[in-house]
Amino acid sequence: MKTLRRAFSIAHGCMAILFACAALALIVIAAKIGWLAVMGGLDRGAAQAIIEAVGLLAAAVVALQIAQTIAEEEVVRDAHISGPTRVRRFLSRFLVVVVVALTIEGLVATFKAAHEDPGHLVYAASIVLAAGVLLAGWGLFVRLNRYAEELEPEAMAEAKREDVKLN
């Protein structure tokens, strides 16, 4: 069983590294797009390129946050997501980044659609709507999960002790 756990930790570590590499690649691409936009002149085309670079940076933040969450929760802590406190904390770390990235992507899509093809505003609005639904669902989950945490106060205490280990 220990060997299997170690194998899963190694697999999680590899995934975290791959997510971090993807984030770095997106950052480099966004920097290149931004640099070329600024060097090409500050006009409407440059603004569109900068907006696209912001969208790529938002995706990079998500990838980097996923890498950090996987590394901390599955490799460093070797936490087992079984209690309500651990589940809430794990999902909250992930969802806050996803909601922010979706919102930024929705704004980028809105600006792009408004300047290029207003017919695509429906797609941009659906991204923003999805972010809102995800945020509302997450809020409901946290609220309902809080009641479960009250039934297991020892799980909250254990999660707090694990946080001290990382600092």
Side-chain angles (χ1 to χ4, degrees), residues 3-92:
T3 306
L4 188 59
R5 278 191 180 175
R6 181 173 299 280
F8 278 119
S9 289
I10 290 169
H12 280 110
C14 290
M15 287 190 304
I17 290 169
L18 290 173
F19 271 112
C21 289
L24 292 174
L26 287 170
I27 291 167
V28 169
I29 292 167
K32 181 180 178 186
I33 289 171
W35 179 257
L36 292 174
V38 170
M39 291 295 111
L42 298 175
D43 57 358
R44 177 175 255 158
Q48 287 296 99
I50 296 294
I51 290 171
E52 183 179 336
V54 168
L56 289 171
L57 288 173
V61 167
V62 171
L64 204 53
Q65 184 64 37
I66 291 171
Q68 180 181 2
T69 301
I70 289 172
E72 286 180 2
E73 297 290 334
E74 300 295 338
V75 178
V76 174
R77 283 189 183 137
D78 194 27
H80 304 289
I81 301 183
S82 57
T85 300
R86 180 60 54 208
V87 171
R88 179 188 53 80
R89 290 172 58 135
F90 184 82
L91 283 177
S92 292

Side-chain angles (χ1 to χ4, degrees), residues 107-122:
L107 290 172
V108 168
T110 301
F111 289 131
K112 197 169 187 177
H115 293 292
E116 291 178 8
D117 184 6
H120 288 138
L121 282 173
V122 173

